[in-house]
Amino acid sequence: MTFSSLLSSLLPRSLKARLFWASVVLLPIVTVFAGAALQRAFHNSLKASEASQARLHVYLLLGEAQLRDGRLWLPNSVQEPRFSQVQSGLYATVHSRGGELLWRSPSAELLPEELMNGLPRANLEPGQTLFQHLPQDGLFLFQYPFVWEGEGGERHFLMSILHTDDSVDREIQAFATQLWGWLGGVYILALLMQYMIMRWGLKPLDSLAEDLSSIEQGQAEKLKGKYPLEVQAVTDNLNRLIESERRQRERYRNTLGDLAHSLKTPLAVMQGAADEQMSTERYRQLVSEQTSRMNQIVQYQLSRAVKSPGAPLAAPVAVEPVVRRILLALGKVYVDKAVEVRTELEPGLSFAGDEHDLIELLGNVLENAFKYGRRQVLVKGWVASAMLWIEVADDGPGVNREMRQVILERGARLDSSAPGQGIGLSVAVDILSSYSGALEIRDSTDLPGAAFLLQLPMLD
């Protein structure tokens, strides 16, 4: 097992859990670094304050110093009372340039001699200062060189101020206690805020899951919630996928109905032929033709179920032969009605699409005319405005204006007494829409009944 796979197996699957535990681990690291930086800055500020105080003590002592008989003199009692108190924690010494101890404050009387002798440890020039911490002695040291001009010339001295570090340690400890207490509280507060922000930030994903569950249970058709921009692209793609799947299922469902509807005509032809008196050879030929036709219908409907809508790239299909074939088959189905068919097709009419689509389209419209017409059917075809126009009219009862759009819907029928499923015209509309065509129902100008006008684009 690789390290990445091991790490993936240890990580929780929940995004909330991952973000929360990442905060639990990373926030203490940030908090520790921030606390250490603050504590270091506070310590440096205390040291700077100590250096400033020591420099002030130097100036006060220099203000009281005098040069008598060639020697530097300082009173035992100075303005700062701690210099006069033994072991007060504040001490002062003056050394010559050669390192000889010339003066020390009364508070420094009990300091170890080795400490006194080791103080002039730096060769400082006038204007330079030294400040450092002596942790082994528990003291801060500030050294200030100065020059005194007298009758005998210039004299060089080094003044040292020593101050115990006890107060600094106490302040650092007090600051650290308060600092880490506050940082601990900030850490807990940050975790709570991170958890609330995390819940708020991931709430759209919970809403997305609920909406998907509603779609799965049939309570909604698509994702309708308002999602953040980062999630909206996903929801839009999901909606397109859901819509595509819904159309595909509808196409399968419609195909089954269309298949049953399309098989009715060949079956009716074979059934009618069985009642006629014809030779065995002729009947066998008819059955073979209709069986072949049924096989073509099945293959066509199956291909329609899986292909995307749109006109295929195919050679032009001559319209007149297709019309003749369909009329011949319908004449056998409706032989009892003795329908008189008249065609007025311009020579050379062609359809820019699949031949099976044209057969299915004209077959449904012509069968509708044979079914509801009384004795006459008229088929006209022409080209105008770069469009192919085919009109199928009959002498039936016609279609009133209120119902013309209704009967184009799947399953809608005007005459429930006539056999059928009410899907023929909807199939025609479906095919026409795939070619950017249209179907219009109007009153016929040639026959008493209705006219179905098909509009199809021509090849460019």
Side-chain angles (χ1 to χ4, degrees):
M1 179 181 293
T2 63
F3 176 75
S4 59
S5 60
L6 177 61
L7 182 62
S8 299
S9 63
L10 294 176
L11 289 174
R13 296 182 61 186
S14 169
L15 287 177
K16 291 182 180 178
R18 289 190 179 193
L19 293 175
F20 181 75
W21 285 112
S23 300
V24 170
V25 173
L26 295 178
L27 276 178
I29 298 176
V30 176
T31 303
V32 168
F33 275 101
L38 289 173
Q39 194 166 347
R40 183 69 178 175
F42 182 72
H43 185 259
N44 290 337
S45 68
L46 289 179
K47 289 177 65 177
S49 177
E50 285 289 326
S52 178
Q53 289 292 327
R55 183 184 294 271
L56 180 60
H57 291 316
V58 168
Y59 292 156
L60 290 175
L61 291 175
L62 288 179
E64 299 184 16
Q66 297 179 15
L67 190 65
R68 295 179 180 179
D69 301 329
R71 297 181 61 84
L72 186 68
W73 177 87
L74 282 164
N76 290 330
S77 178
V78 295
Q79 293 184 10
E80 174 56 60
R82 286 182 294 172
F83 283 124
S84 303
Q85 300 173 8
V86 179
Q87 296 294 321
S88 65
L90 180 62
Y91 318 104
T93 63
V94 177
H95 290 79
S96 66
R97 191 170 192 178
E100 178 186 0
L101 179 61
L102 302 178
W103 177 84
R104 63 179 172 180
S105 65
S107 60
E109 291 295 335
L110 299 181
L111 288 179
E113 290 300 324
E114 56 271 17
L115 175 63
M116 294 291 98
N117 296 331
L119 285 180
R121 59 184 65 186
N123 296 322
L124 300 176
E125 296 296 330
Q128 296 179 335
T129 59
L130 171 69
F131 178 79
Q132 63 181 166
H133 184 212
L134 307 177
Q136 67 277 9
D137 299 313
L139 297 170
F140 285 106
L141 171 64
F142 181 82
Q143 292 186 321
Y144 185 88
F146 62 95
V147 178
W148 200 289
E149 294 183 357
E151 295 178 357
E154 294 183 347
R155 294 177 179 270
H156 291 261
F157 302 98
L158 178 65
M159 182 175 290
S160 300
I161 303 296
L162 297 164
H163 186 214
T164 179
D165 60 5
D166 291 344
S167 60
V168 172
D169 288 342
R170 286 194 300 270
E171 289 188 44
I172 290 177
Q173 290 297 327
F175 177 78
T177 301
Q178 294 187 30
L179 173 66
W180 292 110
W182 279 106
L183 288 178
V186 169
Y187 168 68
I188 295 174
L189 180 61
L191 277 183
L192 292 175
M193 294 182 64
Q194 175 70 12
Y195 179 74
M196 295 174 64
I197 293 173
M198 181 178 58
R199 288 195 60 182
W200 176 69
L202 296 179
K203 189 175 181 180
L205 296 182
D206 296 333
S207 301
L208 177 60
E210 293 175 1
D211 290 346
L212 288 174
S213 178
S214 299
I215 294 175
E216 183 180 6
Q217 296 173 11
Q219 299 173 358
E221 294 184 355
K222 64 178 182 178
L223 300 170
K224 299 181 180 179
K226 292 184 178 180
Y227 301 97
L229 295 178
E230 295 79 3
V231 183
Q232 189 65 49
V234 177
T235 58
D236 291 342
N237 289 332
L238 282 175
N239 276 332
R240 285 193 287 268
L241 177 61
I242 292 170
E243 183 62 27
S244 175
E245 289 298 319
R246 183 178 292 112
R247 288 197 302 266
Q248 187 68 29
R249 289 197 304 270
E250 186 68 22
R251 190 179 299 121
Y252 291 154
R253 189 181 302 112
N254 293 342
T255 298
L256 291 176
D258 296 348
L259 179 59
H261 183 271
S262 301
L263 292 176
K264 286 194 310 176
T265 300
L267 289 173
V269 171
M270 288 189 291
Q271 184 178 3
D275 298 333
E276 296 180 8
Q277 299 295 327
M278 63 174 58
S279 64
T280 304
E281 183 63 28
R282 178 72 183 100
Y283 181 72
R284 183 178 300 168
Q285 182 181 358
L286 184 143
V287 171
S288 177
E289 291 175 356
Q290 297 305 316
T291 302
S292 176
R293 171 64 181 145
M294 293 169 66
N295 182 59
Q296 291 178 359
I297 290 173
V298 171
Q299 295 298 326
Y300 166 70
Q301 294 293 353
L302 289 178
S303 65
R304 280 189 63 216
V306 297
K307 74 178 181 179
S308 301
L313 297 175
V317 179
V319 174
E320 185 174 2
V322 173
V323 172
R324 299 294 181 191
R325 286 168 53 189
I326 296 174
L327 291 176
L328 181 61
L330 290 175
K332 295 177 180 179
V333 175
Y334 295 93
V335 63
D336 294 338
K337 297 184 69 171
V339 178
E340 178 187 345
V341 180
R342 185 160 48 99
T343 60
E344 298 178 4
L345 301 173
E346 287 185 359
L349 289 181
S350 60
F351 167 63
D354 188 273
E355 181 180 6
H356 295 295
D357 285 340
L358 181 62
I359 294 173
E360 190 72 16
L361 172 62
L362 294 178
N364 281 293
V365 178
L366 286 170
E367 183 180 9
N368 191 73
F370 270 76
K371 182 186 297 183
Y372 295 105
R374 294 185 177 91
R375 294 292 179 181
Q376 299 182 65
V377 172
L378 173 62
V379 183
K380 300 169 66 175
W382 68 95
V383 175
S385 303
M387 302 293 291
L388 170 62
W389 302 82
I390 301 176
E391 181 180 276
V392 178
D394 61 68
D395 61 348
V399 181
N400 61 58
R401 295 182 182 276
E402 292 76 15
M403 297 301 297
R404 288 178 181 178
Q405 187 62 36
V406 175
I407 64 173
L408 298 181
E409 300 176 0
R410 179 170 292 269
R413 301 171 60 202
L414 289 180
D415 185 5
S416 59
S417 63
Q421 299 168 306
I423 63 174
L425 292 179
S426 67
V427 171
V429 172
D430 183 36
I431 296 174
L432 283 168
S433 64
S434 68
Y435 288 93
S436 300
L439 173 60
E440 179 186 353
I441 304 175
R442 62 185 183 179
D443 295 329
S444 174
T445 58
D446 300 291
L447 296 175
F452 293 79
L453 183 61
L454 285 67
Q455 177 184 351
L456 287 162
M458 297 289 291
L459 284 175
D460 295 335

